[in-house]
Amino acid sequence: MGLVLVVEDEVDLNNLIRDQLVAAGHSVEQAFDGGSAVAAIEKTVPDLVLLDWMLPDLDGLTVCRQIRQRHVMPVIMLTARTDEVDRVLGLEVGADDYVTKPFSMRELLARVRANLRRVEFDGRPTEAATEGDGGTISLGGLIVDPSAHAASVDGASLNLTPKEFQLLHLFAANPGRAFSREFLIERVWNGDFEGYDRAVDTHITRLRRKLGRLGDQVQTVWGVGYRFTRPKA
Ligand code: CA
């Protein structure tokens, strides 16, 4: 269950998807072109976006890239072309999943459910955080305390630079989510970073080393960027 934004210019199909999602217990917002989709997301951030590739104004790729500058919710692309799948899921666009047209509603609903469930599971930030802790994240030995800008593994504090801390905080708050380098640059460096690709990689390498036994939780996602996987408790 969650708020799903359906972006599809074919009105009948958009309404059909809406009806099915509502019947399955989701809340739905609709957009019929790329511009209004971006505007809708800025107004109310949905839990998931169903995004058609072919739209009358901005195409789905452009919309997805714009969403990814600022948001981490799952994006499922609707595409008629299987040969575009690599681009859809890759760094270039940054979608989480895709459904090829024509699709069955059953398949679409299953994908929506699976993506929402993944976020619900992975995104649950606190396994053992106590109340009133100011957003402290505790994950299998890793503790990230944003109010103190401090992090530790198995009780040993990590000597992180501010950028490394920001990276780790973003990762730990969204375990399982893949972040493109572009997204990390926008978030952590405010888009202001020259020669960025390799510098992001350098920061990740240092962060991995400082994380010690949890360093391997920072995984390279081929063609996308990086993600932090939930450590075993
Ligand atoms: Ca369309």
Side-chain angles (χ1 to χ4, degrees):
M1 313 299 123
L3 176 62
V4 179
L5 175 66
V6 180
V7 189
E8 165 63 75
D9 58 307
E10 289 164 57
V11 177
D12 288 348
L13 180 56
N14 194 321
N15 288 340
L16 181 63
I17 295 172
R18 176 200 60 196
D19 292 348
Q20 295 284 326
L21 287 169
V22 168
H26 303 286
S27 308
V28 175
E29 292 233 18
Q30 292 173 285
F32 299 91
D33 60 68
S36 51
V38 171
I41 290 167
E42 293 314 311
K43 224 173 108 205
T44 309
V45 178
D47 298 303
L48 183 144
V49 180
L50 277 178
L51 178 58
D52 187 36
W53 179 291
M54 298 292 285
L55 295 167
D57 56 340
L58 306 171
D59 63 20
L61 282 76
T62 308
V63 174
C64 192
R65 269 192 227 109
Q66 291 192 10
I67 294 172
R68 275 289 168 265
Q69 301 288 315
R70 300 182 56 179
H71 300 286
V72 300
M73 85 286 277
V75 176
I76 302 177
M77 296 281 306
L78 309 178
T79 171
R81 302 181 51 183
T82 45
D83 59 330
E84 306 281 24
V85 164
D86 285 347
R87 293 176 68 199
V88 166
L89 298 182
L91 176 62
E92 188 185 348
V93 181
D96 295 84
D97 204 352
Y98 67 95
V99 175
T100 311
K101 286 182 171 179
F103 50 82
S104 71
M105 279 300 156
R106 207 174 143 169
E107 182 192 0
L108 186 69
L109 290 172
R111 294 302 184 85
V112 167
R113 239 189 342 263
N115 277 275
L116 285 173
R117 196 165 46 221
R118 200 199 66 225
V119 170
E120 193 193 332
F121 175 76
D122 287 334
R124 199 180 301 135
T126 51
E127 286 174 334
T130 50
E131 266 181 46
D133 55 8
T136 296
I137 297 163
S138 174
L139 284 171
L142 171 70
I143 294 177
V144 179
D145 178 358
S147 60
H149 265 250
S152 63
V153 172
D154 302 331
S157 63
L158 305 178
N159 187 18
L160 302 178
T161 66
K163 294 298 183 208
E164 289 163 358
F165 180 83
Q166 277 179 268
L167 279 172
L168 180 59
H169 185 217
L170 182 66
F171 283 141
N174 301 279
R177 293 278 303 117
F179 294 102
S180 67
R181 290 177 181 81
E182 197 179 21
F183 182 91
L184 296 174
I185 289 154
E186 184 67 28
R187 267 295 172 88
V188 176
W189 283 272
N190 298 317
D192 173 27
F193 205 87
E194 292 211 8
Y196 57 82
D197 270 17
R198 291 185 55 193
V200 170
D201 295 345
T202 304
H203 275 80
I204 294 284
T205 302
R206 283 207 303 259
L207 180 60
R208 274 182 178 142
R209 204 156 49 218
K210 291 182 180 182
L211 281 168
R213 72 171 180 88
L214 296 183
D216 289 345
Q217 306 307 124
V218 181
Q219 296 181 339
T220 303
V221 184
W222 189 84
V224 178
Y226 297 100
R227 74 166 157 228
F228 185 81
T229 56
R230 176 181 288 272
K232 298 211 163 46

